[in-house]
């Protein structure tokens, strides 16, 4: 019998793992990357004996495919994708491809939203793991879904962070528990600058769910409710309302109250993330006592309101993952005293006005960290001090100059990082390293 031929577009984490999974499942595989590719993943592919091309796509090779898997960073409008679909060749995401080979008895938790996906995914995993469940996390963070199936023993529960880009390429993917944390403006350039199109992409997480499945979503009349009307679902829907579920450092879920102040989850945004994670854990049978113990021991991921240890009498916070205004809103909301705010980068068409209502008189200095800071300077010219720089080291030195004992220095950029850094991780790492080297 002729083996089916799989084409994988993109030789990154999701592409390399999808290619290896396809090979394991009996496909002949060819990987094609328009760029130079990552040395790590190219070595992995070649070590597995998988053919790969870089610096362009060979059309004749692409059109041999029976099925194509594309990396999430490749838009549907990319010429190779258009050609494949025009030729009648299905193009799916790595999430969809991996789903076809997961144990049907396993429970899948899928978590999406504009903000808080990573923290909620990691916290959900932690709550379940501490309760003794056989669980693993991945997807849009760490290891891809395909790699979880390849390089780990089968799990009872898979907790997956899912981006809208990944959800755009699903066909059969069906989570037992789907979560939509929030929908706020982000990546709108990929969706024709339409919030409706972006929201519809998020709602795809529930498109294949059955009545016995669960859909947990934020109570939101502005964006999520209209999207639900446009995209009817069959799953049992539960709305979580922060207005009734969060009181200070306490959250209430299913009649149970949990304390966040005894752990490291800080701020209203993390309380919202915990609201969902706890609800998932309760749904999967974890006791309230086990949940509280796990909340106390959870450590947030780097670059998400990460406190950098120092002995200088000031608080330095690395929130480099805050790449949009909504994330920075929540970060500024948690500030309780005088603050030096470091922001800026690649502007995505941001509207900064909403930040003013949570800044109050807390922020006395704005340090603009970016190549083009004009919009930030104009929108916040009313502050006591606005200064500019173009490196993490310079930002830390300026913050050291203007922050008094007891102040907080908050890196929460509200912008992408690609003007000065490789990505938000590089930006956060450089900031942390500079703080530790210069301040100590």
């Amino acid at each position: 019998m002729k083996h089916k031929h799989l084409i994988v577009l993109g030789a990154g984490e999701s592409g390399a793992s999808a290619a290896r999974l396809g090979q394991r499942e009996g496909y002949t595989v060819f990987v094609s990357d328009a760029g130079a590719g990552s040395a790590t993943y190219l070595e992995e592919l070649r070590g597995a004996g998988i053919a790969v091309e870089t610096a362009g796509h060979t059309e004749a090779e692409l059109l041999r495919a029976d099925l194509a898997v594309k990396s999430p960073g490749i838009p549907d409008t990319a010429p190779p994708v258009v050609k494949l679909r025009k030729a009648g060749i299905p193009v799916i995401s790595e999430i969809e491809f991996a789903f076809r080979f997961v144990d049907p008895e396993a429970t899948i938790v899928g978590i999406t939203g504009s903000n808080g996906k990573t923290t909620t995914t990691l916290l959900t995993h932690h709550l379940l793991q501490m309760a003794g469940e056989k669980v693993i996390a991945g997807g849009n963070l760490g290891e891809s879904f395909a790699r979880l199936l390849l390089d780990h023993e089968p799990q009872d529960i898979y907790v997956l962070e899912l981006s809208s880009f990944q959800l755009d390429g699903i066909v059969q993917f069906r989570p037992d528990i789907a979560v939509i944390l929030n929908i706020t403006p982000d990546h709108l350039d990929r969706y024709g600058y339409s919030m409706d199109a972006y929201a519809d992409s998020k709602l795809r997480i529930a498109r294949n769910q059955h009545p016995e499945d669960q859909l947990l979503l934020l109570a939101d009349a502005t964006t999520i409710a209209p999207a639900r009307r446009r995209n009817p679902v069959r799953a049992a829907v539960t709305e979580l309302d922060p207005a009734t579920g969060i009181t200070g450092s306490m959250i209430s879920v299913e009649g149970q109250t949990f304390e966040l102040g005894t752990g490291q989850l800080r701020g209203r945004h993390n309380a919202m993330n915990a609201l969902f994670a706890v609800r998932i854990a309760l749904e999967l049978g974890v006791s309230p006592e086990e949940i509280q113990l796990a909340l106390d021991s959870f450590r947030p991921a780097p670059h998400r309101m990460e406190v950098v240890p120092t002995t200088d009498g000031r608080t330095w916070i690395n929130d480099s993952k805050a790449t949009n205004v909504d994330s920075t809103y929540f970060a500024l909301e948690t500030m309780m005293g005088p603050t030096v705010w470091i922001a800026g980068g690649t502007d995505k068409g941001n509207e900064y006005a909403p930040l003013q209502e949570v800044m109050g008189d807390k922020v006395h200095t704005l340090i603009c960290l970016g190549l083009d800071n004009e919009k930030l300077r104009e929108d916040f010219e009313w502050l006591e001090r606005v200064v500019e720089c173009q490196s993490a080291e310079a930002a830390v030195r300026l913050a050291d100059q203007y922050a008094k004992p007891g102040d907080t220095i908050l890196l929460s950029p509200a912008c992408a990082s690609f003007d000065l850094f490789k990505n938000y991780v590089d930006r956060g790492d450089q900031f942390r390293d500079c703080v530790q080297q210069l301040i100590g």
Side-chain angles (χ1 to χ4, degrees):
M1 185 178 78
K2 177 180 176 290
H3 290 292
K4 287 191 173 182
H5 190 54
L6 175 69
I7 289 290
V8 177
L9 298 177
E13 164 63 26
S14 66
S17 57
R20 286 179 53 223
L21 181 61
Q23 181 188 57
R24 189 189 79 178
E25 297 299 326
Y27 286 83
T28 59
V29 184
F30 185 81
V31 177
S32 181
D33 195 311
S38 160
T40 299
Y41 296 118
L42 291 175
E43 182 179 349
E44 177 182 336
L45 289 165
R46 288 166 179 150
I50 295 173
V52 57
E53 68 174 352
T54 56
H57 303 292
T58 303
E59 183 173 343
E61 186 64 50
L62 297 186
L63 298 181
R64 290 179 52 223
D66 297 294
L67 177 67
V69 172
K70 76 175 182 69
S71 297
I74 301 173
D76 288 340
T77 54
V81 177
V82 173
K83 288 175 183 176
L84 284 162
R85 288 186 168 145
K86 188 175 181 181
I89 299 168
V91 182
I92 62 175
S93 67
E94 169 264 326
I95 289 290
E96 169 67 24
F97 186 64
F99 176 76
R100 299 179 181 185
F101 304 106
V102 72
D103 183 347
E105 296 300 313
T107 296
I108 296 177
V109 178
I111 298 171
T112 194
S114 301
N115 301 294
K117 295 187 295 296
T118 297
T119 298
T120 305
T121 300
L122 294 176
L123 179 57
T124 300
H125 173 262
H126 182 71
L127 299 183
L128 296 170
Q129 187 179 58
M130 291 293 287
E133 298 289 347
K134 193 174 183 181
V135 59
I136 198 166
N140 194 48
L141 67 89
E143 297 181 312
S144 63
F145 191 14
R147 191 174 297 277
L148 299 184
L149 302 185
L150 278 166
D151 296 342
H152 300 270
E153 63 180 65
Q155 304 287 310
D156 294 333
I157 305 172
Y158 293 87
V159 184
L160 304 175
E161 176 185 321
L162 301 171
S163 71
S164 56
F165 297 169
Q166 291 170 315
L167 292 170
D168 288 338
I170 67 169
V171 179
Q172 301 169 10
F173 176 77
R174 173 193 164 196
D176 299 273
I177 301 176
V179 176
I180 301 175
L181 301 170
N182 49 61
I183 303 177
T184 60
D186 201 8
H187 303 300
L188 293 189
D189 53 337
R190 183 87 167 241
Y191 296 97
Y193 296 94
S194 165
M195 270 298 291
D196 285 354
Y198 176 53
D200 290 348
S201 176
K202 293 294 188 188
L203 262 291
R204 287 178 67 90
I205 195 171
R207 67 176 296 177
N208 298 315
Q209 286 192 291
H210 293 185
E212 63 268 28
D213 299 326
Q214 297 286 323
L215 172 60
L216 311 180
L217 43 78
L218 180 70
D220 167 29
T222 303
T223 304
I224 294 180
R228 280 184 60 195
R229 290 192 290 270
R230 295 191 303 270
N231 301 273
V233 301
R234 293 181 291 166
V237 177
T238 301
E239 291 189 339
L240 300 184
D241 188 349
T244 57
I246 301 173
T247 306
S249 64
M250 309 283 288
I251 62 171
S252 299
V253 187
E254 294 287 283
Q256 301 286 336
T257 301
F258 302 90
E259 174 62 60
L260 301 182
T262 48
Q264 292 194 12
L265 288 165
R266 296 286 185 268
R268 185 173 176 81
H269 61 306
N270 274 326
M272 290 170 63
N273 297 335
L275 205 61
F276 281 91
V278 169
R279 180 66 177 76
I280 295 165
L282 289 170
E283 182 69 29
L284 294 177
V286 182
S287 72
E289 295 76 17
E290 289 172 316
I291 289 173
Q292 184 62 65
L293 286 171
L295 287 171
D296 292 344
S297 63
F298 179 71
R299 301 291 179 267
H303 315 298
R304 295 161 179 83
M305 295 299 288
E306 172 195 1
V307 177
V308 182
T310 61
T311 58
D312 68 330
R314 299 171 293 188
T315 303
W316 297 77
I317 297 178
N318 168 19
D319 192 37
S320 181
K321 183 62 171 65
T323 59
N324 58 41
V325 170
D326 201 56
S327 292
T328 296
Y329 180 100
F330 289 122
L332 288 168
E333 188 179 43
T334 67
M335 297 298 102
M336 302 305 293
T339 301
V340 173
W341 173 35
I342 304 172
T346 304
D347 189 291
K348 308 179 193 177
N350 291 346
E351 293 296 332
Y352 296 111
L355 299 179
Q356 297 185 20
E357 65 186 73
V358 290
M359 291 170 65
D361 58 0
K362 296 181 289 189
V363 175
H364 59 76
T365 299
L366 168 61
I367 298 172
C368 300
L369 175 59
L371 288 177
D372 182 0
N373 301 308
E374 183 178 357
K375 190 172 181 182
L376 271 173
R377 289 184 64 91
E378 288 178 355
D379 283 12
F380 296 101
E381 61 182 358
W382 52 272
L383 285 171
E384 177 184 335
R385 185 182 297 108
V386 179
V387 295
E388 296 187 74
C389 63
Q390 294 186 359
S391 74
E393 180 179 350
V396 170
R397 290 190 183 280
L398 285 168
D400 180 41
Q401 178 181 343
Y402 295 119
K404 300 179 177 65
D407 283 11
T408 297
I409 300 91
L410 172 68
L411 169 67
S412 190
C415 297
S417 55
F418 304 118
D419 57 341
L420 294 173
F421 306 94
K422 295 176 185 176
N423 47 43
Y424 78 85
V425 173
D426 179 41
R427 175 170 60 192
D429 286 344
Q430 289 195 37
F431 174 76
R432 186 197 308 108
D433 290 347
C434 289
V435 171
Q436 292 174 336
Q437 290 170 12
L438 301 174
I439 309 301

